[in-house]
Amino acid sequence: MSLASFNVPDRPANPDVVIVGAGPVGLYAAARLAQFGASVLILERASEPMRRGSKALCVQSDVIDLLDNVGCGHPVREAGCAWNLSRTYVRNTEVRTTRFDAGPTGTPAFVNLPQWQIEDLLRAAGERTGRVRIVWGAEFDGLEQDAEDPDPDRKVDIRFQQDGAVRTVSTTFLLGCDGVRSNVRETLGVEWLGRVHADRFLIVDAEFDVDWPKERRFWFDAPSNPGRQIVVHPQPGRMWRLDWQLPKDCDPKAEIAPHRIADRIETLAGTREHRLEWASTYRFHQRHAARMRLGNVFLLGDAAHALPPFGARGMNSGLQDAENLCWKLAAVLEGQAAADILTTFDRERFKAARENVAITGKTIRFMVPPTRLHHWYRNALVRGAARFPALNGLINSGKMSTPTSYRGLDTVQRRTRGNLRPGDIVPNLSLGSDALRAHLAGGFGLIAARQSPAGERIEAALPFISRLGVTLIWADDAEYAASHKLTDLLRQAAAPALLVRPDGYLAGVLIQDIRAELTQLLKPYGIRPAPVSGPSDRTIPVAGISGHPTSTGATQ
């Protein structure tokens, strides 16, 4: 399944996929699906893009690599504010410093860029494909489908309101990317588990001159906000993102008054002079949907899981939802996989949602203690940490976002040897002019050493590997051998050959019988060998990537 194999189709009357919501998750899904050849229609209730407010501004390095898939990673790196250091304070005493490593391609650990700028980039990426159309001012009004199992031969009928009229559109698949108050989720009747927290926070984007480093900073019991928290994030230029925990009995309207915000900035930064870009108060959700798929309808991003902002897990996990789903939808639409592959989305991303809710839940219980006992413990710990550095590791100011492992699920091989295991994300190594996932070109990849017993068995199975559409990358080819990066991957996994999924996850390892093991590993995804063409399958070339003939193993 290679991106290069798809041609631009004529736009059908009804799109392959309809997406409700033109936020970052819906826009990324649209651009990614369009790359795979699908036609996409986005329904967005707003009448035009909103270009204010940082909102979900923090992008993690693995997710920036995902944005590379649609041509948006580089502009995010260029326009955003990179940072790799987080400091935590109790009053004015620093009690914890965390340094984050850059990604394997050199991508910064985190890049901060206002959400609306990321949306602009993604919208342009979709437009460049010629297969994405956005309908503004379109309010989702309902859907009908006749089965709970995914089936590409069935249709989803969608109603939406626009300009006072009720309109309809039919599609094969519907993606609900319409946020915390998702109408798609409500229409499906999917239970929304969890709660809304009582505490309010004030969020401000303000431009001012201050001698602050470009790093994340978090205060417990801040001198300028006694008994409560403050979080500071850098933005490009002189802009800063400021979050204050507010008193429970506060008046939200009074807190966003310009003079009140000026007071807060002055006590925090020592200057009253600023330009206010955006301000809002909010209560955060700690919720997830009871399921993320019903029939041919899927829930992604905030429609599937709503998380507190501490740890930057909202948009990052939503974009990972989209990447997980899009290659599977493309495989089904192209007839390269059975519809059963789509059930793996629910299992894998539901695990991610539960994990993120649990992690952020621990942070919130520490930041906003729910009982007197929790409050006593938190206060004793943060005060003690200022005197005893050994306690610093117990301070929880937000565990930053990382990709979820799918270890233990039946969608990946159950094997426990090695540090890199099936279900883990494979490092997106820099290989020559491209990264590893770019070499895979949207398909499965097989990594092995040619000069090894496994290499000999793989050579013998080349026609079969080709019929599966799997790209073969020889770890010991001259193009890669000098760096030892791919051979190190094999060592980390303690295996002679690795099967990597299109989304960069390790599906499993191969040891002896290449045909049987590949067939078994691809079974959960419904991937089927292409039919034999001609008198002998030995005449079928190995599927390759344009510009990288040595990476495919095509030696015939």
Side-chain angles (χ1 to χ4, degrees):
M1 188 171 61
S2 169
L3 293 178
S5 67
F6 296 116
N7 297 316
V8 179
D10 293 333
R11 188 188 305 279
N14 291 315
D16 297 317
V17 180
V18 169
I19 297 174
V20 179
V25 176
L27 291 169
Y28 177 82
R32 192 70 167 128
L33 286 166
Q35 279 189 317
F36 284 113
S39 58
V40 184
L41 177 69
I42 301 177
L43 304 177
E44 169 54 46
R45 66 165 64 98
S47 59
E48 60 183 12
M50 188 182 83
R51 293 187 168 93
R52 292 185 64 220
S54 56
K55 296 186 179 179
L57 85 164
C58 184
V59 194
Q60 190 257 348
S61 61
D62 288 275
V63 176
I64 296 173
D65 287 349
L66 291 188
L67 295 175
D68 279 327
N69 293 332
V70 294
C72 295
H74 178 71
V76 166
R77 295 181 188 92
E78 289 293 305
C81 176
W83 62 275
N84 67 348
L85 197 67
S86 176
R87 300 185 191 272
T88 301
Y89 301 85
V90 175
R91 297 189 64 80
N92 278 332
T93 301
E94 185 176 341
V95 297
R96 187 172 186 179
T97 302
T98 305
R99 188 176 298 276
F100 302 94
D101 295 332
T105 60
T107 298
F110 295 95
V111 173
N112 287 356
L113 188 67
Q115 178 179 319
W116 66 265
Q117 294 188 44
I118 297 171
E119 291 174 356
D120 278 357
L121 291 169
L122 289 169
R123 197 161 42 246
E127 291 172 356
R128 286 194 297 269
T129 67
R131 304 186 187 102
V132 177
R133 183 163 61 95
I134 302 178
V135 179
W136 297 96
E139 183 78 25
F140 173 82
D141 195 41
L143 66 89
E144 292 181 5
Q145 63 173 343
D146 57 4
E148 290 194 4
D149 294 324
D151 187 340
D153 294 326
R154 295 194 179 101
K155 295 292 182 183
V156 182
D157 296 320
I158 301 157
R159 297 187 307 276
F160 64 96
Q161 296 186 31
Q162 185 189 33
D163 299 330
V166 176
R167 308 177 189 277
T168 61
V169 63
S170 293
T171 188
T172 305
F173 298 110
L174 171 64
L175 277 53
C177 303
D178 51 340
V180 173
R181 297 174 181 83
S182 169
N183 289 332
V184 175
R185 186 187 64 241
E186 291 295 319
T187 300
L188 292 175
V190 173
E191 191 173 0
W192 192 222
L193 306 172
R195 67 190 182 99
V196 180
H197 290 264
D199 290 77
R200 286 187 181 272
F201 284 75
L202 168 67
I203 178 173
V204 168
D205 292 332
E207 186 178 50
F208 51 87
D209 287 317
V210 65
D211 187 21
W212 285 349
K214 296 293 188 178
E215 59 191 30
R216 176 187 188 262
R217 294 198 288 170
F218 187 104
W219 281 268
F220 287 103
D221 192 18
S224 61
N225 200 30
R228 290 175 291 276
Q229 280 70 255
I230 300 176
V231 187
V232 172
H233 266 277
Q235 295 194 57
R238 298 164 53 244
M239 189 70 68
W240 296 88
R241 157 76 169 267
L242 312 169
D243 288 67
W244 287 274
Q245 183 186 7
L246 298 174
K248 290 185 178 181
D249 58 353
C250 73
D251 178 357
K253 292 183 179 178
E255 293 296 340
I256 62 173
H259 73 277
R260 184 73 184 100
I261 291 174
D263 291 342
R264 288 185 176 275
I265 291 175
E266 184 175 18
T267 56
L268 178 63
T271 179
R272 195 175 182 83
E273 298 298 320
H274 72 281
R275 182 180 68 82
L276 181 63
E277 176 74 16
W278 181 68
S280 180
T281 61
Y282 67 93
R283 286 191 174 106
F284 51 75
H285 292 246
Q286 186 80 10
R287 294 180 181 270
H288 67 84
R291 58 192 301 184
M292 294 175 65
R293 182 199 63 80
L294 189 68
N296 284 14
V297 184
F298 303 84
L299 299 174
L300 294 81
D302 286 352
H305 41 77
L307 305 167
F310 311 104
R313 292 175 177 269
M315 181 179 68
N316 286 300
S317 62
L319 292 171
Q320 290 160 348
D321 291 344
E323 180 67 12
N324 182 291
L325 179 60
C326 286
W327 68 268
K328 298 172 182 177
L329 286 179
V332 173
L333 288 169
E334 288 294 317
Q336 297 172 335
D340 289 349
I341 191 176
L342 300 176
T343 64
T344 68
F345 165 78
D346 198 7
R347 293 200 292 274
E348 292 172 352
R349 296 313 298 169
F350 184 77
K351 180 180 190 290
R354 289 283 300 273
E355 177 181 291
N356 284 321
V357 166
I359 290 171
T360 55
K362 290 180 180 178
T363 299
I364 296 309
R365 283 194 297 275
F366 193 86
M367 289 177 51
V368 187
T371 67
R372 289 184 178 179
L373 181 61
H374 283 89
H375 201 274
W376 176 87
Y377 169 78
R378 196 281 305 273
N379 286 351
L381 184 59
V382 297
R383 289 167 185 160
R387 299 178 58 191
F388 304 105
L391 298 176
N392 292 356
L394 300 176
I395 300 293
N396 189 339
S397 61
K399 183 179 179 182
M400 298 305 294
S401 176
T402 55
T404 296
S405 173
Y406 303 142
R407 289 185 188 183
L409 295 179
D410 57 3
T411 54
V412 293
Q413 186 187 48
R414 295 175 184 266
R415 186 175 183 275
T416 58
R417 290 183 60 200
N419 295 322
L420 178 64
R421 301 181 185 179
D424 292 348
I425 191 82
V426 176
N428 190 27
L429 301 175
S430 179
L431 302 176
S433 60
D434 285 323
L436 174 60
R437 289 173 210 164
H439 275 57
L440 300 183
F444 280 82
L446 182 60
I447 300 173
R450 187 195 302 267
Q451 303 302 322
S452 70
E456 295 175 5
R457 292 191 292 272
I458 289 170
E459 288 273 16
L462 282 179
F464 180 72
I465 295 170
S466 171
R467 289 171 51 206
L468 288 168
V470 174
T471 294
L472 180 57
I473 301 177
W474 293 119
D476 51 356
D477 268 6
E479 186 176 356
Y480 315 122
S483 71
H484 304 292
K485 293 178 180 178
L486 289 174
T487 52
D488 283 346
L489 278 186
L490 296 174
R491 292 192 192 97
Q492 290 173 39
L498 311 180
L499 182 66
V500 183
R501 301 189 338 179
D503 55 4
Y505 276 84
L506 181 59
V509 301
L510 293 87
I511 307 295
Q512 290 291 338
D513 189 336
I514 301 301
R515 287 182 180 234
E517 290 170 356
L518 260 181
T519 300
Q520 187 64 29
L521 288 177
L522 291 172
K523 186 177 180 180
Y525 311 106
I527 304 296
R528 301 174 289 231
V532 175
S533 173
S536 169
D537 64 1
R538 294 185 182 279
T539 65
I540 301 174
V542 173
I545 304 170
S546 177
H548 294 280
T550 58
S551 69
T552 68
T555 59
Q556 297 168 319

